[in-house]
PDB file of all heavy atoms in Angstrom:
ATOM      1  N   TYR A  22      -1.622  -3.879  12.057  1.00 81.00           N
ATOM      2  CA  TYR A  22      -2.634  -4.475  11.181  1.00 81.00           C
ATOM      3  C   TYR A  22      -3.154  -5.783  11.774  1.00 81.00           C
ATOM      4  O   TYR A  22      -4.358  -6.011  11.843  1.00 81.00           O
ATOM      5  CB  TYR A  22      -2.013  -4.686   9.804  1.00 81.00           C
ATOM      6  CG  TYR A  22      -2.801  -5.538   8.843  1.00 81.00           C
ATOM      7  CD1 TYR A  22      -3.951  -5.042   8.248  1.00 81.00           C
ATOM      8  CD2 TYR A  22      -2.380  -6.816   8.512  1.00 81.00           C
ATOM      9  CE1 TYR A  22      -4.672  -5.811   7.348  1.00 81.00           C
ATOM     10  CE2 TYR A  22      -3.090  -7.584   7.606  1.00 81.00           C
ATOM     11  CZ  TYR A  22      -4.230  -7.083   7.033  1.00 81.00           C
ATOM     12  OH  TYR A  22      -4.939  -7.844   6.143  1.00 81.00           O
ATOM     13  N   LEU A  23      -2.255  -6.626  12.225  1.00 82.00           N
ATOM     14  CA  LEU A  23      -2.650  -7.932  12.755  1.00 82.00           C
ATOM     15  C   LEU A  23      -3.387  -7.822  14.088  1.00 82.00           C
ATOM     16  O   LEU A  23      -4.159  -8.712  14.437  1.00 82.00           O
ATOM     17  CB  LEU A  23      -1.427  -8.833  12.891  1.00 82.00           C
ATOM     18  CG  LEU A  23      -0.769  -9.236  11.574  1.00 82.00           C
ATOM     19  CD1 LEU A  23       0.528  -9.991  11.832  1.00 82.00           C
ATOM     20  CD2 LEU A  23      -1.719 -10.037  10.710  1.00 82.00           C
ATOM     21  N   GLN A  24      -3.171  -6.735  14.830  1.00 84.00           N
ATOM     22  CA  GLN A  24      -3.838  -6.551  16.106  1.00 84.00           C
ATOM     23  C   GLN A  24      -5.132  -5.751  15.972  1.00 84.00           C
ATOM     24  O   GLN A  24      -5.833  -5.558  16.952  1.00 84.00           O
ATOM     25  CB  GLN A  24      -2.904  -5.833  17.088  1.00 84.00           C
ATOM     26  CG  GLN A  24      -1.721  -6.672  17.488  1.00 84.00           C
ATOM     27  CD  GLN A  24      -0.762  -5.930  18.403  1.00 84.00           C
ATOM     28  OE1 GLN A  24      -1.018  -4.814  18.830  1.00 84.00           O
ATOM     29  NE2 GLN A  24       0.362  -6.557  18.690  1.00 84.00           N
ATOM     30  N   SER A  25      -5.450  -5.328  14.771  1.00 76.00           N
ATOM     31  CA  SER A  25      -6.646  -4.509  14.571  1.00 76.00           C
ATOM     32  C   SER A  25      -7.909  -5.370  14.577  1.00 76.00           C
ATOM     33  O   SER A  25      -7.870  -6.580  14.754  1.00 76.00           O
ATOM     34  CB  SER A  25      -6.542  -3.729  13.261  1.00 76.00           C
ATOM     35  OG  SER A  25      -6.584  -4.609  12.158  1.00 76.00           O
ATOM     36  N   ASP A  26      -9.008  -4.729  14.362  1.00 72.00           N
ATOM     37  CA  ASP A  26     -10.317  -5.376  14.292  1.00 72.00           C
ATOM     38  C   ASP A  26     -10.281  -6.520  13.270  1.00 72.00           C
ATOM     39  O   ASP A  26      -9.874  -6.317  12.135  1.00 72.00           O
ATOM     40  CB  ASP A  26     -11.340  -4.311  13.891  1.00 72.00           C
ATOM     41  CG  ASP A  26     -12.740  -4.846  13.720  1.00 72.00           C
ATOM     42  OD1 ASP A  26     -13.016  -5.967  14.174  1.00 72.00           O
ATOM     43  OD2 ASP A  26     -13.558  -4.131  13.125  1.00 72.00           O
ATOM     44  N   PRO A  27     -10.700  -7.724  13.646  1.00 71.00           N
ATOM     45  CA  PRO A  27     -10.664  -8.863  12.715  1.00 71.00           C
ATOM     46  C   PRO A  27     -11.399  -8.596  11.402  1.00 71.00           C
ATOM     47  O   PRO A  27     -10.980  -9.075  10.350  1.00 71.00           O
ATOM     48  CB  PRO A  27     -11.325  -9.997  13.496  1.00 71.00           C
ATOM     49  CG  PRO A  27     -11.159  -9.628  14.927  1.00 71.00           C
ATOM     50  CD  PRO A  27     -11.185  -8.115  14.965  1.00 71.00           C
ATOM     51  N   ASP A  28     -12.481  -7.837  11.446  1.00 70.00           N
ATOM     52  CA  ASP A  28     -13.192  -7.519  10.206  1.00 70.00           C
ATOM     53  C   ASP A  28     -12.330  -6.668   9.293  1.00 70.00           C
ATOM     54  O   ASP A  28     -12.353  -6.821   8.073  1.00 70.00           O
ATOM     55  CB  ASP A  28     -14.511  -6.803  10.506  1.00 70.00           C
ATOM     56  CG  ASP A  28     -15.515  -7.709  11.203  1.00 70.00           C
ATOM     57  OD1 ASP A  28     -15.423  -8.944  11.025  1.00 70.00           O
ATOM     58  OD2 ASP A  28     -16.364  -7.177  11.941  1.00 70.00           O
ATOM     59  N   ALA A  29     -11.554  -5.760   9.881  1.00 66.00           N
ATOM     60  CA  ALA A  29     -10.674  -4.905   9.082  1.00 66.00           C
ATOM     61  C   ALA A  29      -9.550  -5.734   8.471  1.00 66.00           C
ATOM     62  O   ALA A  29      -9.173  -5.519   7.324  1.00 66.00           O
ATOM     63  CB  ALA A  29     -10.109  -3.775   9.932  1.00 66.00           C
ATOM     64  N   VAL A  30      -9.022  -6.679   9.224  1.00 65.00           N
ATOM     65  CA  VAL A  30      -7.939  -7.519   8.719  1.00 65.00           C
ATOM     66  C   VAL A  30      -8.420  -8.323   7.515  1.00 65.00           C
ATOM     67  O   VAL A  30      -7.720  -8.460   6.521  1.00 65.00           O
ATOM     68  CB  VAL A  30      -7.396  -8.449   9.825  1.00 65.00           C
ATOM     69  CG1 VAL A  30      -6.447  -9.484   9.246  1.00 65.00           C
ATOM     70  CG2 VAL A  30      -6.700  -7.626  10.909  1.00 65.00           C
ATOM     71  N   ASP A  31      -9.640  -8.833   7.583  1.00 68.00           N
ATOM     72  CA  ASP A  31     -10.156  -9.634   6.481  1.00 68.00           C
ATOM     73  C   ASP A  31     -10.432  -8.805   5.224  1.00 68.00           C
ATOM     74  O   ASP A  31     -10.408  -9.331   4.125  1.00 68.00           O
ATOM     75  CB  ASP A  31     -11.447 -10.342   6.904  1.00 68.00           C
ATOM     76  CG  ASP A  31     -11.182 -11.452   7.914  1.00 68.00           C
ATOM     77  OD1 ASP A  31     -10.025 -11.914   8.010  1.00 68.00           O
ATOM     78  OD2 ASP A  31     -12.134 -11.841   8.609  1.00 68.00           O
ATOM     79  N   SER A  32     -10.703  -7.524   5.380  1.00 71.00           N
ATOM     80  CA  SER A  32     -11.089  -6.707   4.227  1.00 71.00           C
ATOM     81  C   SER A  32     -10.014  -5.726   3.786  1.00 71.00           C
ATOM     82  O   SER A  32     -10.233  -4.944   2.875  1.00 71.00           O
ATOM     83  CB  SER A  32     -12.376  -5.934   4.550  1.00 71.00           C
ATOM     84  OG  SER A  32     -12.136  -5.018   5.611  1.00 71.00           O
ATOM     85  N   THR A  33      -8.851  -5.757   4.416  1.00 75.00           N
ATOM     86  CA  THR A  33      -7.784  -4.811   4.106  1.00 75.00           C
ATOM     87  C   THR A  33      -6.637  -5.538   3.429  1.00 75.00           C
ATOM     88  O   THR A  33      -6.231  -6.601   3.863  1.00 75.00           O
ATOM     89  CB  THR A  33      -7.278  -4.132   5.398  1.00 75.00           C
ATOM     90  OG1 THR A  33      -8.363  -3.478   6.028  1.00 75.00           O
ATOM     91  CG2 THR A  33      -6.196  -3.121   5.100  1.00 75.00           C
ATOM     92  N   GLU A  34      -6.118  -4.910   2.399  1.00 80.00           N
ATOM     93  CA  GLU A  34      -4.955  -5.462   1.704  1.00 80.00           C
ATOM     94  C   GLU A  34      -3.804  -4.488   1.850  1.00 80.00           C
ATOM     95  O   GLU A  34      -3.971  -3.285   1.657  1.00 80.00           O
ATOM     96  CB  GLU A  34      -5.261  -5.661   0.220  1.00 80.00           C
ATOM     97  CG  GLU A  34      -4.103  -6.216  -0.553  1.00 80.00           C
ATOM     98  CD  GLU A  34      -4.406  -6.382  -2.032  1.00 80.00           C
ATOM     99  OE1 GLU A  34      -5.585  -6.462  -2.395  1.00 80.00           O
ATOM    100  OE2 GLU A  34      -3.453  -6.413  -2.814  1.00 80.00           O
ATOM    101  N   ILE A  35      -2.660  -4.991   2.227  1.00 83.00           N
ATOM    102  CA  ILE A  35      -1.443  -4.184   2.335  1.00 83.00           C
ATOM    103  C   ILE A  35      -0.491  -4.645   1.255  1.00 83.00           C
ATOM    104  O   ILE A  35      -0.237  -5.833   1.094  1.00 83.00           O
ATOM    105  CB  ILE A  35      -0.792  -4.344   3.721  1.00 83.00           C
ATOM    106  CG1 ILE A  35      -1.726  -3.828   4.806  1.00 83.00           C
ATOM    107  CG2 ILE A  35       0.551  -3.622   3.760  1.00 83.00           C
ATOM    108  CD1 ILE A  35      -1.210  -4.044   6.207  1.00 83.00           C
ATOM    109  N   GLN A  36       0.033  -3.682   0.519  1.00 86.00           N
ATOM    110  CA  GLN A  36       1.014  -3.961  -0.518  1.00 86.00           C
ATOM    111  C   GLN A  36       2.316  -3.299  -0.100  1.00 86.00           C
ATOM    112  O   GLN A  36       2.346  -2.100   0.160  1.00 86.00           O
ATOM    113  CB  GLN A  36       0.535  -3.396  -1.854  1.00 86.00           C
ATOM    114  CG  GLN A  36       1.463  -3.645  -2.994  1.00 86.00           C
ATOM    115  CD  GLN A  36       0.917  -3.054  -4.296  1.00 86.00           C
ATOM    116  OE1 GLN A  36      -0.098  -2.388  -4.328  1.00 86.00           O
ATOM    117  NE2 GLN A  36       1.608  -3.310  -5.374  1.00 86.00           N
ATOM    118  N   ILE A  37       3.395  -4.057  -0.003  1.00 87.00           N
ATOM    119  CA  ILE A  37       4.689  -3.529   0.401  1.00 87.00           C
ATOM    120  C   ILE A  37       5.598  -3.499  -0.816  1.00 87.00           C
ATOM    121  O   ILE A  37       5.784  -4.507  -1.495  1.00 87.00           O
ATOM    122  CB  ILE A  37       5.314  -4.386   1.523  1.00 87.00           C
ATOM    123  CG1 ILE A  37       4.400  -4.366   2.747  1.00 87.00           C
ATOM    124  CG2 ILE A  37       6.715  -3.895   1.856  1.00 87.00           C
ATOM    125  CD1 ILE A  37       4.790  -5.323   3.827  1.00 87.00           C
ATOM    126  N   ILE A  38       6.148  -2.305  -1.067  1.00 86.00           N
ATOM    127  CA  ILE A  38       7.055  -2.118  -2.198  1.00 86.00           C
ATOM    128  C   ILE A  38       8.364  -1.562  -1.656  1.00 86.00           C
ATOM    129  O   ILE A  38       8.363  -0.519  -0.993  1.00 86.00           O
ATOM    130  CB  ILE A  38       6.461  -1.140  -3.227  1.00 86.00           C
ATOM    131  CG1 ILE A  38       5.148  -1.701  -3.765  1.00 86.00           C
ATOM    132  CG2 ILE A  38       7.454  -0.874  -4.355  1.00 86.00           C
ATOM    133  CD1 ILE A  38       4.356  -0.718  -4.597  1.00 86.00           C
ATOM    134  N   ASP A  39       9.461  -2.216  -1.932  1.00 83.00           N
ATOM    135  CA  ASP A  39      10.777  -1.729  -1.517  1.00 83.00           C
ATOM    136  C   ASP A  39      11.234  -0.696  -2.540  1.00 83.00           C
ATOM    137  O   ASP A  39      11.571  -1.035  -3.665  1.00 83.00           O
ATOM    138  CB  ASP A  39      11.766  -2.889  -1.435  1.00 83.00           C
ATOM    139  CG  ASP A  39      13.143  -2.464  -0.955  1.00 83.00           C
ATOM    140  OD1 ASP A  39      13.376  -1.250  -0.764  1.00 83.00           O
ATOM    141  OD2 ASP A  39      13.997  -3.344  -0.778  1.00 83.00           O
ATOM    142  N   ALA A  40      11.215   0.570  -2.142  1.00 82.00           N
ATOM    143  CA  ALA A  40      11.584   1.654  -3.049  1.00 82.00           C
ATOM    144  C   ALA A  40      13.008   2.125  -2.808  1.00 82.00           C
ATOM    145  O   ALA A  40      13.387   3.208  -3.247  1.00 82.00           O
ATOM    146  CB  ALA A  40      10.605   2.818  -2.897  1.00 82.00           C
ATOM    147  N   SER A  41      13.796   1.336  -2.098  1.00 79.00           N
ATOM    148  CA  SER A  41      15.191   1.715  -1.872  1.00 79.00           C
ATOM    149  C   SER A  41      16.027   1.339  -3.083  1.00 79.00           C
ATOM    150  O   SER A  41      15.563   0.667  -3.993  1.00 79.00           O
ATOM    151  CB  SER A  41      15.721   1.019  -0.624  1.00 79.00           C
ATOM    152  OG  SER A  41      15.686  -0.381  -0.784  1.00 79.00           O
ATOM    153  N   GLY A  42      17.239   1.792  -3.100  1.00 78.00           N
ATOM    154  CA  GLY A  42      18.154   1.399  -4.160  1.00 78.00           C
ATOM    155  C   GLY A  42      17.965   2.144  -5.461  1.00 78.00           C
ATOM    156  O   GLY A  42      18.094   1.556  -6.533  1.00 78.00           O
ATOM    157  N   GLY A  43      17.639   3.430  -5.402  1.00 80.00           N
ATOM    158  CA  GLY A  43      17.575   4.238  -6.610  1.00 80.00           C
ATOM    159  C   GLY A  43      16.276   4.168  -7.378  1.00 80.00           C
ATOM    160  O   GLY A  43      16.234   4.488  -8.550  1.00 80.00           O
ATOM    161  N   THR A  44      15.211   3.742  -6.748  1.00 85.00           N
ATOM    162  CA  THR A  44      13.909   3.685  -7.400  1.00 85.00           C
ATOM    163  C   THR A  44      13.479   5.088  -7.830  1.00 85.00           C
ATOM    164  O   THR A  44      13.633   6.046  -7.071  1.00 85.00           O
ATOM    165  CB  THR A  44      12.855   3.098  -6.435  1.00 85.00           C
ATOM    166  OG1 THR A  44      13.244   1.782  -6.087  1.00 85.00           O
ATOM    167  CG2 THR A  44      11.472   3.086  -7.057  1.00 85.00           C
ATOM    168  N   ASP A  45      12.952   5.216  -9.032  1.00 91.00           N
ATOM    169  CA  ASP A  45      12.395   6.481  -9.507  1.00 91.00           C
ATOM    170  C   ASP A  45      11.046   6.672  -8.827  1.00 91.00           C
ATOM    171  O   ASP A  45      10.046   6.086  -9.220  1.00 91.00           O
ATOM    172  CB  ASP A  45      12.243   6.447 -11.028  1.00 91.00           C
ATOM    173  CG  ASP A  45      11.659   7.722 -11.607  1.00 91.00           C
ATOM    174  OD1 ASP A  45      11.172   8.588 -10.845  1.00 91.00           O
ATOM    175  OD2 ASP A  45      11.680   7.855 -12.842  1.00 91.00           O
ATOM    176  N   ILE A  46      11.038   7.482  -7.766  1.00 92.00           N
ATOM    177  CA  ILE A  46       9.842   7.621  -6.948  1.00 92.00           C
ATOM    178  C   ILE A  46       8.699   8.259  -7.722  1.00 92.00           C
ATOM    179  O   ILE A  46       7.536   7.920  -7.512  1.00 92.00           O
ATOM    180  CB  ILE A  46      10.156   8.376  -5.633  1.00 92.00           C
ATOM    181  CG1 ILE A  46       9.081   8.115  -4.581  1.00 92.00           C
ATOM    182  CG2 ILE A  46      10.349   9.848  -5.875  1.00 92.00           C
ATOM    183  CD1 ILE A  46       9.008   6.715  -4.082  1.00 92.00           C
ATOM    184  N   ALA A  47       8.996   9.166  -8.642  1.00 92.00           N
ATOM    185  CA  ALA A  47       7.932   9.795  -9.438  1.00 92.00           C
ATOM    186  C   ALA A  47       7.238   8.758 -10.317  1.00 92.00           C
ATOM    187  O   ALA A  47       6.005   8.734 -10.401  1.00 92.00           O
ATOM    188  CB  ALA A  47       8.495  10.929 -10.278  1.00 92.00           C
ATOM    189  N   ALA A  48       8.000   7.884 -10.947  1.00 93.00           N
ATOM    190  CA  ALA A  48       7.414   6.834 -11.789  1.00 93.00           C
ATOM    191  C   ALA A  48       6.637   5.837 -10.930  1.00 93.00           C
ATOM    192  O   ALA A  48       5.539   5.408 -11.314  1.00 93.00           O
ATOM    193  CB  ALA A  48       8.507   6.122 -12.578  1.00 93.00           C
ATOM    194  N   LEU A  49       7.177   5.474  -9.782  1.00 93.00           N
ATOM    195  CA  LEU A  49       6.487   4.547  -8.894  1.00 93.00           C
ATOM    196  C   LEU A  49       5.180   5.160  -8.409  1.00 93.00           C
ATOM    197  O   LEU A  49       4.136   4.508  -8.430  1.00 93.00           O
ATOM    198  CB  LEU A  49       7.373   4.174  -7.702  1.00 93.00           C
ATOM    199  CG  LEU A  49       6.741   3.285  -6.633  1.00 93.00           C
ATOM    200  CD1 LEU A  49       6.240   1.973  -7.218  1.00 93.00           C
ATOM    201  CD2 LEU A  49       7.729   3.041  -5.500  1.00 93.00           C
ATOM    202  N   TYR A  50       5.211   6.424  -8.004  1.00 92.00           N
ATOM    203  CA  TYR A  50       4.007   7.090  -7.515  1.00 92.00           C
ATOM    204  C   TYR A  50       2.958   7.161  -8.615  1.00 92.00           C
ATOM    205  O   TYR A  50       1.772   6.915  -8.375  1.00 92.00           O
ATOM    206  CB  TYR A  50       4.354   8.485  -6.992  1.00 92.00           C
ATOM    207  CG  TYR A  50       3.260   9.113  -6.172  1.00 92.00           C
ATOM    208  CD1 TYR A  50       3.090   8.772  -4.836  1.00 92.00           C
ATOM    209  CD2 TYR A  50       2.395  10.051  -6.716  1.00 92.00           C
ATOM    210  CE1 TYR A  50       2.086   9.337  -4.069  1.00 92.00           C
ATOM    211  CE2 TYR A  50       1.386  10.611  -5.953  1.00 92.00           C
ATOM    212  CZ  TYR A  50       1.238  10.260  -4.641  1.00 92.00           C
ATOM    213  OH  TYR A  50       0.238  10.819  -3.890  1.00 92.00           O
ATOM    214  N   ALA A  51       3.387   7.452  -9.837  1.00 92.00           N
ATOM    215  CA  ALA A  51       2.451   7.504 -10.970  1.00 92.00           C
ATOM    216  C   ALA A  51       1.813   6.135 -11.195  1.00 92.00           C
ATOM    217  O   ALA A  51       0.601   6.039 -11.443  1.00 92.00           O
ATOM    218  CB  ALA A  51       3.165   7.983 -12.225  1.00 92.00           C
ATOM    219  N   SER A  52       2.601   5.068 -11.093  1.00 93.00           N
ATOM    220  CA  SER A  52       2.038   3.728 -11.309  1.00 93.00           C
ATOM    221  C   SER A  52       1.078   3.360 -10.178  1.00 93.00           C
ATOM    222  O   SER A  52       0.082   2.675 -10.408  1.00 93.00           O
ATOM    223  CB  SER A  52       3.140   2.687 -11.446  1.00 93.00           C
ATOM    224  OG  SER A  52       3.792   2.455 -10.225  1.00 93.00           O
ATOM    225  N   LEU A  53       1.349   3.830  -8.978  1.00 92.00           N
ATOM    226  CA  LEU A  53       0.454   3.538  -7.854  1.00 92.00           C
ATOM    227  C   LEU A  53      -0.882   4.257  -8.010  1.00 92.00           C
ATOM    228  O   LEU A  53      -1.901   3.788  -7.496  1.00 92.00           O
ATOM    229  CB  LEU A  53       1.111   3.923  -6.526  1.00 92.00           C
ATOM    230  CG  LEU A  53       2.312   3.074  -6.118  1.00 92.00           C
ATOM    231  CD1 LEU A  53       2.974   3.655  -4.873  1.00 92.00           C
ATOM    232  CD2 LEU A  53       1.914   1.629  -5.896  1.00 92.00           C
ATOM    233  N   GLN A  54      -0.905   5.371  -8.720  1.00 91.00           N
ATOM    234  CA  GLN A  54      -2.148   6.108  -8.934  1.00 91.00           C
ATOM    235  C   GLN A  54      -3.134   5.326  -9.800  1.00 91.00           C
ATOM    236  O   GLN A  54      -4.324   5.636  -9.823  1.00 91.00           O
ATOM    237  CB  GLN A  54      -1.872   7.472  -9.576  1.00 91.00           C
ATOM    238  CG  GLN A  54      -1.041   8.404  -8.717  1.00 91.00           C
ATOM    239  CD  GLN A  54      -1.551   8.512  -7.294  1.00 91.00           C
ATOM    240  OE1 GLN A  54      -2.704   8.851  -7.066  1.00 91.00           O
ATOM    241  NE2 GLN A  54      -0.700   8.210  -6.336  1.00 91.00           N
ATOM    242  N   LEU A  55      -2.655   4.315 -10.494  1.00 92.00           N
ATOM    243  CA  LEU A  55      -3.518   3.485 -11.330  1.00 92.00           C
ATOM    244  C   LEU A  55      -4.250   2.417 -10.522  1.00 92.00           C
ATOM    245  O   LEU A  55      -5.101   1.712 -11.057  1.00 92.00           O
ATOM    246  CB  LEU A  55      -2.685   2.822 -12.440  1.00 92.00           C
ATOM    247  CG  LEU A  55      -1.924   3.789 -13.351  1.00 92.00           C
ATOM    248  CD1 LEU A  55      -1.027   3.008 -14.306  1.00 92.00           C
ATOM    249  CD2 LEU A  55      -2.873   4.703 -14.095  1.00 92.00           C
ATOM    250  N   GLN A  56      -3.914   2.321  -9.244  1.00 91.00           N
ATOM    251  CA  GLN A  56      -4.526   1.323  -8.359  1.00 91.00           C
ATOM    252  C   GLN A  56      -5.486   2.013  -7.394  1.00 91.00           C
ATOM    253  O   GLN A  56      -5.272   3.172  -7.038  1.00 91.00           O
ATOM    254  CB  GLN A  56      -3.445   0.592  -7.565  1.00 91.00           C
ATOM    255  CG  GLN A  56      -2.434  -0.132  -8.431  1.00 91.00           C
ATOM    256  CD  GLN A  56      -1.379  -0.802  -7.584  1.00 91.00           C
ATOM    257  OE1 GLN A  56      -1.661  -1.330  -6.520  1.00 91.00           O
ATOM    258  NE2 GLN A  56      -0.143  -0.783  -8.060  1.00 91.00           N
ATOM    259  N   PRO A  57      -6.520   1.314  -6.954  1.00 91.00           N
ATOM    260  CA  PRO A  57      -7.466   1.905  -5.994  1.00 91.00           C
ATOM    261  C   PRO A  57      -6.915   1.841  -4.565  1.00 91.00           C
ATOM    262  O   PRO A  57      -7.283   0.986  -3.770  1.00 91.00           O
ATOM    263  CB  PRO A  57      -8.714   1.037  -6.157  1.00 91.00           C
ATOM    264  CG  PRO A  57      -8.169  -0.302  -6.546  1.00 91.00           C
ATOM    265  CD  PRO A  57      -6.950  -0.018  -7.398  1.00 91.00           C
ATOM    266  N   LEU A  58      -6.008   2.752  -4.235  1.00 90.00           N
ATOM    267  CA  LEU A  58      -5.375   2.764  -2.916  1.00 90.00           C
ATOM    268  C   LEU A  58      -6.032   3.792  -2.010  1.00 90.00           C
ATOM    269  O   LEU A  58      -6.452   4.849  -2.454  1.00 90.00           O
ATOM    270  CB  LEU A  58      -3.882   3.105  -3.059  1.00 90.00           C
ATOM    271  CG  LEU A  58      -3.074   2.189  -3.979  1.00 90.00           C
ATOM    272  CD1 LEU A  58      -1.655   2.716  -4.111  1.00 90.00           C
ATOM    273  CD2 LEU A  58      -3.074   0.776  -3.449  1.00 90.00           C
ATOM    274  N   ASP A  59      -6.073   3.480  -0.716  1.00 88.00           N
ATOM    275  CA  ASP A  59      -6.595   4.423   0.273  1.00 88.00           C
ATOM    276  C   ASP A  59      -5.506   5.359   0.774  1.00 88.00           C
ATOM    277  O   ASP A  59      -5.771   6.518   1.077  1.00 88.00           O
ATOM    278  CB  ASP A  59      -7.196   3.676   1.466  1.00 88.00           C
ATOM    279  CG  ASP A  59      -8.430   2.886   1.085  1.00 88.00           C
ATOM    280  OD1 ASP A  59      -9.229   3.388   0.267  1.00 88.00           O
ATOM    281  OD2 ASP A  59      -8.596   1.768   1.598  1.00 88.00           O
ATOM    282  N   ILE A  60      -4.284   4.859   0.895  1.00 90.00           N
ATOM    283  CA  ILE A  60      -3.178   5.654   1.414  1.00 90.00           C
ATOM    284  C   ILE A  60      -1.859   5.059   0.933  1.00 90.00           C
ATOM    285  O   ILE A  60      -1.761   3.851   0.705  1.00 90.00           O
ATOM    286  CB  ILE A  60      -3.206   5.720   2.966  1.00 90.00           C
ATOM    287  CG1 ILE A  60      -2.172   6.714   3.485  1.00 90.00           C
ATOM    288  CG2 ILE A  60      -3.047   4.353   3.578  1.00 90.00           C
ATOM    289  CD1 ILE A  60      -2.304   7.031   4.964  1.00 90.00           C
ATOM    290  N   ILE A  61      -0.881   5.933   0.779  1.00 92.00           N
ATOM    291  CA  ILE A  61       0.487   5.511   0.469  1.00 92.00           C
ATOM    292  C   ILE A  61       1.347   5.937   1.649  1.00 92.00           C
ATOM    293  O   ILE A  61       1.275   7.084   2.092  1.00 92.00           O
ATOM    294  CB  ILE A  61       0.994   6.167  -0.834  1.00 92.00           C
ATOM    295  CG1 ILE A  61       0.155   5.690  -2.024  1.00 92.00           C
ATOM    296  CG2 ILE A  61       2.485   5.881  -1.040  1.00 92.00           C
ATOM    297  CD1 ILE A  61       0.445   6.416  -3.317  1.00 92.00           C
ATOM    298  N   VAL A  62       2.154   5.017   2.169  1.00 91.00           N
ATOM    299  CA  VAL A  62       3.060   5.314   3.272  1.00 91.00           C
ATOM    300  C   VAL A  62       4.480   5.195   2.741  1.00 91.00           C
ATOM    301  O   VAL A  62       4.888   4.146   2.270  1.00 91.00           O
ATOM    302  CB  VAL A  62       2.842   4.354   4.459  1.00 91.00           C
ATOM    303  CG1 VAL A  62       3.815   4.677   5.582  1.00 91.00           C
ATOM    304  CG2 VAL A  62       1.403   4.425   4.948  1.00 91.00           C
ATOM    305  N   GLY A  63       5.207   6.283   2.792  1.00 90.00           N
ATOM    306  CA  GLY A  63       6.571   6.315   2.285  1.00 90.00           C
ATOM    307  C   GLY A  63       6.681   7.374   1.204  1.00 90.00           C
ATOM    308  O   GLY A  63       5.679   8.005   0.862  1.00 90.00           O
TER     309      GLY A  63
END
């Protein structure tokens, strides 16, 4: 991300969520659907 096109860095937001430790992935995925995301990694 930091080495990418400077215009992309200025207009891109990355959200990091630690889903380890017994996180209910179905509930987390459902909550992420309420946000305008381009992609989910993990």
Side-chain angles (χ1 to χ4, degrees):
Y22 168 73
L23 293 173
Q24 292 177 5
S25 67
D26 178 15
D28 293 334
V30 170
D31 290 341
S32 64
T33 302
E34 180 181 338
I35 297 176
Q36 181 180 5
I37 299 171
I38 299 170
D39 182 355
S41 62
T44 299
D45 180 349
I46 200 66
L49 176 58
Y50 194 81
S52 71
L53 292 173
Q54 297 311 304
L55 302 174
Q56 301 179 38
L58 303 175
D59 294 321
I60 188 169
I61 296 172
V62 179

